Amino acid sequence: MDRLYSLIGLAFRANKLLYGIKAMEAIEKKKVHLVILSNEASEKTRKKVLDKCAAYQVSVKYVDSKDDLSKAIGKENIVMVAIIDLGFTQSILKA
């Protein structure tokens, strides 16, 4: 799991990761290759993200802790991030 969060942090520093409303907009623009969603996300957030990902055929990877996800990118209360780079997507899926 440490490798996963390291890759997420690296993607953030390389500007290949979005979160919040920008991530949702990028999904609609078909720029997102992978969404990483915390199991701790609220039911409303989970439904919104999963419906959007299904509509635009974006893969979803789950992580256990929103705290670890938030820490990986140096923010607070992050439950979902979107990866917009194919190389990072492939590496994260292997991690």
Side-chain angles (χ1 to χ4, degrees):
M1 277 308 234
D2 287 337
R3 178 167 158 65
L4 171 65
Y5 294 115
S6 294
L7 287 167
I8 292 169
L10 187 60
F12 177 72
R13 290 188 298 280
N15 290 321
K16 303 297 181 185
L17 178 147
L18 301 171
Y19 60 93
I21 192 70
K22 289 183 180 182
M24 296 300 279
E25 291 170 353
I27 293 171
E28 291 175 2
K29 293 177 183 174
K30 299 184 179 183
K31 293 182 178 181
V32 175
H33 297 284
L34 175 68
V35 166
I36 301 170
L37 181 64
S38 170
N39 287 328
E40 295 178 347
S42 70
E43 200 59 42
K44 181 179 175 183
T45 300
R46 184 187 315 268
K47 181 176 178 2
K48 188 182 292 186
V49 170
L50 293 178
D51 288 349
K52 182 96 48 185
C53 288
Y56 292 95
Q57 299 169 346
V58 175
S59 299
V60 178
K61 180 173 178 77
Y62 294 94
V63 295
D64 292 328
S65 171
K66 74 177 183 180
D67 293 332
D68 290 340
L69 186 59
S70 300
K71 186 178 172 185
I73 65 169
K75 303 289 180 189
E76 291 182 4
N77 296 319
I78 302 295
V79 295
M80 184 272 288
V81 296
I83 306 296
I84 57 173
D85 181 77
L86 187 58
F88 276 113
T89 298
Q90 291 170 342
S91 296
I92 287 170
L93 288 173
K94 291 178 186 174

